[in-house]
Amino acid sequence: MNRKIRWLKASYLAGAVADAGIGILTLIPSRMGQTEITYPMGLAATVMFGWTLLLLWAYRKPVERKGILVITIFPVITGLMASGLYAVAAGIFPIARIVPTSILGIGLIALMGYSYLNARNLEADSGPDA
């Protein structure tokens, strides 16, 4: 059981670090090549920092809050990845610009998906009769 909880906690921490990093990068519009959209990028950064705190909150009760991983995978990570694909398709960014974040997204989806599936039965295992 401890191994399953460690996977959950690793997922929450990995997601929190990634969200915080993306939030910080989003506060630098020139890094994104879009200085004219400072206000919406500030809004996006706020959401990223909020999700960082949500994942840290889930870390404190990893089993009870494991559902946070599911909604982090979809719509959050998949939505961010879809936004990157849209930016490439619209000619806003070259594809090389979204490769690192796409690899990060795929890795987080795999980690969080594995952790969630691995821990689905933890509540049943840790019930009063266990």
Side-chain angles (χ1 to χ4, degrees):
M1 181 168 14
N2 287 335
R3 186 179 65 79
K4 292 179 180 184
I5 292 173
R6 281 195 303 270
W7 277 106
L8 285 171
K9 286 185 166 192
S11 294
Y12 298 131
L13 288 178
V17 168
D19 286 344
I22 292 171
I24 291 167
L25 292 174
T26 305
L27 288 174
I28 309 168
S30 59
R31 183 222 175 257
M32 303 299 286
Q34 302 292 319
T35 56
E36 66 276 2
I37 58 170
T38 301
Y39 176 69
M41 290 180 73
L43 294 175
T46 301
V47 173
M48 295 307 293
F49 293 132
W51 207 266
T52 298
L53 293 176
L54 179 71
L55 288 165
L56 293 174
W57 173 75
Y59 177 89
R60 296 190 49 128
K61 292 189 178 182
V63 176
E64 295 89 339
R65 298 173 181 161
K66 68 182 177 291
I68 296 294
L69 294 176
V70 176
I71 58 174
T72 301
I73 293 170
F74 183 82
V76 177
I77 297 172
T78 54
L80 290 169
M81 291 174 66
S83 295
L85 291 173
Y86 169 78
V88 169
I92 298 170
F93 296 137
I95 195 160
R97 190 83 177 262
I98 68 158
V99 169
T101 55
S102 295
I103 291 169
L104 175 63
I106 291 166
L108 286 171
I109 288 170
L111 173 63
M112 291 177 177
Y114 172 78
S115 297
Y116 177 80
L117 293 174
N118 193 35
R120 280 185 309 184
N121 61 353
L122 264 180
E123 286 173 334
D125 291 347
S126 62
D129 297 330

